[in-house]
Amino acid sequence: MSYRWHCTCKFYLFLLLCSLYPFNGKAQKNITQNKTSLSRTNTTAPVPEIHIESEDIPDFSTNPPNSIFLKKNKLKDIVNNSPNPMDLFKNQMGISQYGAGRIASLPVINGMADNRVATFIDGMRINGDCPNHMNPAISYLNPHDVATAKIIAGITPVSMGGDSLAGSIDIQRKDPLFAEKNKKILIKGEVSSFYHSNGSGVGTAGNITVANKHLSLRYNGSWSQSRNYHAGSGGGKVYSSAYKTFNHDVTLGYKKDNHLFSLTYGQSDTPYEGFPNQYMDMTNNRSIFVNGKYKGDFDWGTIEARGYWQRVTHAMNMLSNKGGHSATKGMPMNIDGRTAGYNVKATVFIDNHNTLRIGSSFDHSGLNDWWPPLQKNMMMGPHTYHNINNGHRDRLGNFAEWEAQWTPKVTTLLGFRNDLVMMNTGRISGYQGINGINAEERKAIHNFNTANRGHTDTNFDVTAMARWTVNKSFTWEGGYARKSRSPNLYERYTWGTSPMAMRMIGWFGDGNGYIGNLNLKPEVGNTVSTTFDFHDPHQDIWEVKVQPFYTYIHHYINVNYLGSMRTRQNTTVSKLQFDNHNAQIYGINTAESYKLWNNKKYGQGILKGNINWVMGQDRTNHNSLYHMMPLNGMISLNEYFGPWTGRIEANFVNTKSQVDPMRREPKTPGYVLFNIGGSYTWRMLRLDASIENIANKKYYLPLGGMSLGDLITTNELRALPGLGRSFNIALTASF
């Protein structure tokens, strides 16, 4: 027997022991029976995937129906097994992701993605500064620095922000730590590292805090990188899937009595990241940010205030798998983005049954997107191509929200919000070379520069929710939301009509070409959703949640077909222009949990599962909406015994047959993936190990689009394959 085979057998044996060895730790308390209390009592409806302490649960406003609240201790298993921050939300109800770069997947909630999802990192609303959305908000996050992660689908309270349809993702970094009263100084930290066999992915992360009773200083940093990954059995290498990234941030905190102030300065640097479903790769992305936070508790309520600023310098070109780049080769594309804003929220406890929240926020996004000329190139030169010239998108929002407890069993929430979205951009120009501009593009430049490019949208949102504890075994939650979203800068202002320029626009991974539309109107979505929560009287043994939803969207920003064009290897793709349609999205999500055993001899064993189904239809052209996730679900057996934890998991995805023919969306076969993993904690050390995709199943990502990296490198066009089998191991030390 070879040494490699001997080691592999040992690794499988270790994982099997981790997964089957029971757990004897204290069973965490489930959520208390009274789920209708106000924000001051801090109770809420249970979430089947996670069991958390009742005193840690936020109020009805910040944990409404259709929400999932993840705490740090429940995130560790995910963080130690994946460098992708979107995997924090893996296996949650209604959540999926567009396959893109390895650390830049785009979030999807109930069939709506990307800018339709409001994503906040420590209160900062960050939009992607890229025509391919290679740098979404979550890509700037070090997963090890996450304290809580929250998802709210569809019916988002107006206090959680506007300008979104699908819902919100709210991720909070760790708050500053302070020494206890009987200690002069606190020193605390953590160091971790991981290795993933598929792609030879490696990384490390660490943080350290030094604090006394009033001052706290924390440093947090991480680094990870990977080569191209391999698909499942027979799928070969997936080209343009390598990456390298760094994150650093320093937080200064000050606390006195009931007041907390923190200031974070950070930098994120991604020297390269391949994008297998784009023509381009990211050749550099650097971000610096400053984020200040104040929270004060008073007799009458609380005040929270934030102010932030971020600058992003972003460069795209072609990495070696797509031919590389130099002064005379490739296609340079540069972006300079700036974000600044504030948000202020006051919570007023009117009496024991009524709470009022009022607030204001402002977000500024400035963008320059230009493509420098290539030397000695007749098409991409001799002048600079200005895609978006000094574009800006400013949003000013104000809201009021009333939470009321009518009886011990009934709580309601009603909110109104107004957002003023102001957009404009400067004059543009093309390469203007002999072959770099034609009559059609010359006309497009003239029409764009002479048009009225300034737009102001006045948007209104309304949210109404209720929670009713019918009896000890049944809770009903439901509500209605009217939500609005104005177009992003690329949907409204990209103007290029040449095939090459159009193919550079688009965050859909489909290889098609896109052009903007100055006449776009804001989207307006009307959502009705309800949740039926069945559980045992003590909420300790079993739970079933059923969550149907329906959304009708006026002026949904979809596309019109302008014609076809040829790309690599004579492949046909579509020319598309953004335009307003009407659309509907509906579906049902379920989540289940059952405690199989809980005793000293075998510890605690919990069976968990979920099923998600969504359909989307364009009511204007009667096609399926793009990137609708097929029926999917998960079932897992989780065991806990003392310092051991383990899981055996199966993920299934049905055949994807509902596709958008206009975008030439590929159909993908169904599949089942099996995973196994476990961890062991000894004093200050924690060891995690797992095998993902045990059977090395070859499968294609339903929301991954086309594998353009393979087309450019091997002349083979296919749907984007998923990750093959990977042996993962991580070690964490705390002090």
Side-chain angles (χ1 to χ4, degrees):
M1 180 181 292
S2 70
Y3 175 76
R4 182 177 181 183
W5 174 251
H6 184 67
C7 293
T8 302
C9 289
K10 285 185 175 181
F11 191 75
Y12 270 109
L13 181 60
F14 171 74
L15 289 172
L16 188 61
L17 290 172
C18 286
S19 300
L20 298 180
Y21 204 79
F23 181 81
N24 191 29
K26 293 182 179 179
Q28 292 183 327
K29 296 178 182 177
N30 286 319
I31 301 167
T32 56
Q33 186 65 38
N34 180 12
K35 304 193 315 189
T36 60
S37 59
L38 292 170
S39 56
R40 289 173 119 172
T41 58
N42 287 339
T43 61
T44 188
V47 179
E49 292 84 4
I50 312 108
H51 297 272
I52 58 181
E53 299 289 347
S54 60
E55 62 267 25
D56 290 333
I57 303 169
D59 53 53
F60 190 20
S61 171
T62 54
N63 197 40
N66 306 340
S67 65
I68 300 168
F69 189 73
L70 306 172
K71 295 282 286 183
K72 178 189 173 185
N73 61 333
K74 295 300 177 183
L75 298 173
K76 275 192 174 182
D77 293 340
I78 304 169
V79 167
N80 287 335
N81 284 289
S82 175
N84 181 6
M86 265 306 299
D87 282 344
L88 293 171
F89 309 108
K90 186 179 179 181
N91 296 332
Q92 303 301 326
M93 290 198 307
I95 310 300
S96 52
Q97 54 185 289
Y98 279 16
R102 299 277 295 283
I103 55 172
S105 297
L106 303 177
V108 184
I109 299 179
N110 288 344
M112 290 184 280
D114 200 22
N115 288 144
R116 294 188 176 100
V117 179
T119 304
F120 299 89
I121 308 295
D122 258 1
M124 294 178 61
R125 177 76 179 267
I126 303 173
N127 297 307
D129 297 312
C130 173
N132 300 149
H133 287 198
M134 292 181 176
N135 51 5
I138 291 181
S139 67
Y140 296 109
L141 184 69
N142 171 10
H144 289 268
D145 196 27
V146 175
T148 63
K150 180 166 51 185
I151 314 162
I152 302 175
I155 305 177
T156 306
V158 295
S159 57
M160 291 290 295
D163 202 30
S164 66
L165 296 182
S168 297
I169 293 177
D170 183 18
I171 298 176
Q172 297 292 326
R173 291 187 176 93
K174 302 168 187 175
D175 276 334
L177 298 175
F178 297 91
E180 298 177 0
K181 292 182 179 180
N182 57 347
K183 293 183 179 180
K184 292 184 178 181
I185 192 166
L186 168 71
I187 300 177
K188 187 174 182 179
E190 185 178 85
V191 179
S192 64
S193 61
F194 71 82
Y195 172 76
H196 298 168
S197 66
N198 197 332
S200 298
V202 293
T204 185
N207 64 78
I208 184 169
T209 295
V210 180
N212 60 23
K213 298 177 184 177
H214 300 294
L215 285 174
S216 174
L217 183 65
R218 183 184 73 228
Y219 164 78
N220 187 78
S222 68
W223 157 79
S224 67
Q225 69 176 37
S226 175
R227 301 173 184 173
N228 294 328
Y229 72 83
H230 286 76
S233 179
K237 184 184 293 186
V238 178
Y239 291 96
S240 297
S241 58
Y243 75 89
K244 178 187 283 188
T245 187
F246 304 86
N247 284 282
H248 304 276
D249 61 75
V250 177
T251 299
L252 175 66
Y254 175 75
K255 181 180 74 171
K256 186 175 182 181
D257 299 328
N258 297 326
H259 304 276
L260 173 66
F261 172 79
S262 64
L263 182 67
T264 301
Y265 170 82
Q267 176 177 310
S268 174
D269 188 9
T270 302
Y272 63 85
E273 183 180 4
F275 282 76
N277 60 359
Q278 296 287 352
Y279 295 105
M280 308 295 291
D281 297 310
M282 190 162 69
T283 53
N284 190 37
N285 190 88
R286 177 167 293 182
S287 161
I288 56 174
F289 74 90
V290 179
N291 187 359
K293 171 186 175 181
Y294 166 77
K295 182 176 181 179
D297 294 325
F298 303 89
D299 293 339
W300 50 266
T302 64
I303 289 182
E304 295 181 52
R306 291 182 184 270
Y308 53 86
W309 173 88
Q310 181 190 43
R311 179 177 180 180
V312 176
T313 54
H314 176 80
M316 291 188 294
N317 215 311
M318 299 174 185
L319 296 176
S320 58
N321 290 151
K322 294 176 181 172
H325 61 276
S326 66
T328 59
K329 184 173 66 172
M331 184 180 177
M333 301 172 66
N334 296 333
I335 294 96
D336 186 0
R338 288 178 174 82
T339 299
Y342 73 83
N343 57 72
V344 180
K345 180 174 73 173
T347 301
V348 182
F349 303 124
I350 300 174
D351 55 35
N352 290 334
H353 302 286
N354 295 275
T355 302
L356 176 67
R357 298 178 187 91
I358 55 174
S360 176
S361 64
F362 175 78
D363 294 291
H364 163 76
S365 296
L367 184 70
N368 267 323
D369 184 337
W370 74 100
W371 308 347
L374 277 182
Q375 296 179 14
K376 302 178 182 179
N377 189 291
M378 301 296 287
M379 174 176 281
M380 290 179 283
H383 300 291
T384 296
Y385 185 104
H386 290 279
N387 188 32
I388 293 181
N389 183 24
N390 287 321
H392 70 84
R393 188 180 191 274
D394 300 330
R395 180 173 61 86
L396 177 64
N398 299 282
F399 71 87
E401 189 173 78
W402 170 41
E403 180 179 341
Q405 184 183 27
W406 299 94
T407 73
K409 293 186 176 183
V410 177
T411 304
T412 61
L413 187 73
L414 179 64
F416 298 91
R417 184 182 183 95
N418 165 242
D419 285 286
L420 195 67
V421 181
M422 299 156 282
M423 300 175 62
N424 207 340
T425 188
R427 295 169 60 89
I428 48 85
S429 60
Y431 288 118
Q432 300 180 15
I434 296 175
N435 296 323
I437 188 168
N438 53 37
E440 181 183 9
E441 191 154 294
R442 188 177 293 110
K443 181 180 178 181
I445 293 173
H446 173 77
N447 290 342
F448 188 92
N449 287 337
T450 56
N452 179 17
R453 301 181 295 277
H455 290 266
T456 299
D457 302 325
T458 303
N459 300 330
F460 294 94
D461 292 355
V462 179
T463 298
M465 294 180 281
R467 177 177 291 139
W468 177 26
T469 304
V470 181
N471 54 46
K472 292 182 178 181
S473 298
F474 175 49
T475 300
W476 174 86
E477 301 173 330
Y480 161 80
R482 181 193 191 273
K483 293 290 184 179
S484 306
R485 181 189 79 93
S486 290
N488 64 44
L489 288 169
Y490 287 103
E491 289 170 331
R492 185 165 266 171
Y493 290 131
T494 50
W495 58 273
T497 57
S498 69
M500 179 274 296
M502 293 182 71
R503 288 197 302 269
M504 297 302 103
I505 308 301
W507 42 96
F508 311 102
D510 55 8
N512 297 310
Y514 291 81
I515 186 173
N517 187 339
L518 288 171
N519 298 316
L520 287 177
K521 300 176 182 178
E523 298 176 323
V524 178
N526 292 273
T527 297
V528 178
S529 179
T530 187
T531 301
F532 303 96
D533 185 353
F534 304 93
H535 44 262
D536 67 281
H538 299 288
Q539 300 186 30
D540 187 54
I541 305 298
W542 63 271
E543 186 170 32
V544 176
K545 292 184 78 172
V546 181
Q547 184 187 96
F549 62 90
Y550 177 85
T551 301
Y552 191 92
I553 307 156
H554 296 275
H555 306 145
Y556 182 85
I557 298 178
N558 207 342
V559 293
N560 290 335
Y561 183 77
L562 302 181
S564 63
M565 54 185 170
R566 299 286 183 176
T567 182
R568 299 287 186 117
Q569 300 303 312
N570 213 26
T571 302
T572 302
V573 295
S574 299
K575 293 182 178 180
L576 305 169
Q577 183 175 28
F578 295 112
D579 202 0
N580 291 115
H581 294 192
N582 292 326
Q584 64 179 3
I585 300 175
Y586 53 91
I588 187 169
N589 304 314
T590 70
E592 306 81 30
S593 67
Y594 185 79
K595 187 178 294 184
L596 297 173
W597 58 82
N598 184 22
N599 55 58
K600 292 182 179 180
K601 185 176 181 179
Y602 297 108
Q604 186 180 90
I606 301 176
L607 189 67
K608 300 179 182 180
N610 64 50
I611 300 174
N612 307 293
W613 175 77
V614 63
M615 291 287 290
Q617 299 167 344
D618 187 312
R619 303 300 294 169
T620 302
N621 61 25
H622 304 290
N623 288 334
S624 171
L625 293 180
Y626 184 67
H627 267 2
M628 291 291 110
M629 187 71 180
L631 178 71
N632 65 94
M634 176 276 299
I635 185 169
S636 68
L637 175 62
N638 302 264
E639 292 198 25
Y640 309 90
F641 194 93
W644 296 84
T645 71
R647 65 178 171 93
I648 300 175
E649 177 183 280
N651 297 91
F652 69 87
V653 177
N654 198 17
T655 300
K656 183 176 176 61
S657 56
Q658 299 294 321
V659 296
D660 184 354
M662 195 182 316
R663 303 196 200 213
R664 306 175 193 269
E665 184 179 8
K667 296 182 179 181
T668 56
Y671 58 87
V672 178
L673 303 179
F674 296 97
N675 311 307
I676 186 172
S679 70
Y680 178 75
T681 302
W682 180 72
R683 295 184 180 180
M684 298 185 298
L685 298 177
R686 170 174 166 143
L687 178 66
D688 290 81
S690 69
I691 306 174
E692 307 299 317
N693 192 359
I694 296 173
N696 200 28
K697 173 73 174 179
K698 179 184 176 182
Y699 65 101
Y700 297 95
L701 298 171
L703 307 187
M706 305 303 298
S707 190
L708 300 176
D710 290 337
L711 173 65
I712 295 171
T713 306
T714 66
N715 299 327
E716 176 191 1
L717 183 63
R718 57 178 176 172
L720 182 63
L723 195 72
R725 180 169 53 225
S726 182
F727 298 86
N728 303 337
I729 190 165
L731 181 64
T732 303
S734 304
F735 59 90

